[in-house]
Amino acid sequence: VCRPECTISGSFAAPSGSWAIILLIYAGEARGNVFDSAYSLFVNGVDVFQGTSPEYGRWSVLKDITEYTALFKGTVNFVFHVPGAIIQGNFTTWLSISFYPVPKGETPPSEPNVILPLWSGVSLTQSSPSATLSVNVPYNTLNATLELYAYGFGLDEFWYTNEPSFRDVIVSVDSKPIASVLPFPYINTGGIDLFAWRPITAVFTLDDPAYRLDVTPALGLLEGEHELSVQVLN
């Protein structure tokens, strides 16, 4: 039980073997008077799960995180940012990961063998609309997928009511654009009308998926060490 906002962090030894499915199970409960709150799970610095808590009752999320198999080798470090926007109450969290082995004689699913953490919960604003870091992409990479979370929160929660209601998230390598996302204007679990989302919350709230961008055509720009930047327009 976290009161007020807090994080759960730790490490564990990943079981050895080949996995058909790695399943994340997150269950939560809102007790008392609380607001909708963002939550997220980072594994070895990589964002693997995002969502927003309901404002009452219990909920559960089952998420297939098999694509992150490469992270579950040896000692695994994790940080879970717990919902924590409360008035008089608290959030309770249950979190577990289940490993389902590949059946004997079967071939493990083909998953990425290198996963690079980039930005983790970086807040972009009108006065600071971009962020940059140095990234080293291995040479001889066959294909590459960029996973991008774009989430309007705080004063930007209702950005889609602006005139014009437009956001463009642009990712560049050494100042050369390689990807662009027009974010989906979904509604938070307490957004607009607090009572409209009981018992079913709006789309994507409990499990906000990342935008998956195929940047394989840009490998000629990405391989080796380069400056990667992300910028929000308008």
Side-chain angles (χ1 to χ4, degrees), residues 199-221:
I200 299 175
T201 64
V203 64
F204 294 154
T205 48
L206 295 181
D207 181 7
D208 176 19
Y211 295 97
R212 295 176 56 85
L213 309 173
D214 182 6
V215 293
T216 305
L219 280 174
L221 300 173

Side-chain angles (χ1 to χ4, degrees), residues 113-114 136-142 219-226:
N113 63 343
V114 175
N136 195 340
V137 176
Y139 286 100
N140 299 321
T141 299
L142 294 179
L219 280 174
L221 300 173
L222 280 167
E223 287 182 320
E225 188 166 351
H226 297 277

Side-chain angles (χ1 to χ4, degrees), residues 69-204:
T69 296
L71 300 175
F72 293 95
K73 309 290 184 184
T75 300
V76 178
N77 299 300
F78 69 91
V79 176
F80 185 66
H81 294 289
V82 180
I86 63 173
I87 303 172
Q88 291 179 333
N90 61 69
F91 289 97
T92 304
T93 292
W94 296 266
L95 198 66
S96 67
I97 298 177
S98 299
F99 296 82
Y100 294 87
V102 174
K104 191 173 182 178
E106 298 292 329
T107 302
S110 178
E111 303 296 348
N113 63 343
V114 175
I115 302 175
L116 302 176
L118 300 175
W119 300 278
S120 298
V122 172
S123 294
L124 302 180
T125 64
Q126 284 185 325
S127 59
S128 180
S130 64
T132 302
L133 53 72
S134 179
V135 61
N136 195 340
V137 176
Y139 286 100
N140 299 321
T141 299
L142 294 179
N143 56 70
T145 299
L146 175 70
E147 291 195 338
L148 174 68
Y149 289 92
Y151 191 92
F153 210 61
L155 295 178
D156 211 39
E157 178 178 343
F158 302 106
W159 64 268
Y160 46 84
T161 63
N162 293 340
E163 292 293 343
S165 56
F166 172 78
R167 288 286 189 275
D168 191 5
V169 185
I170 298 177
V171 179
S172 303
V173 178
D174 298 334
S175 300
K176 301 178 182 68
I178 62 169
S180 173
V181 163
L182 303 177
F184 181 78
Y186 72 86
I187 302 171
N188 284 5
T189 52
I192 302 179
D193 182 346
L194 301 180
F195 304 101
W197 316 115
R198 301 187 178 190
I200 299 175
T201 64
V203 64
F204 294 154

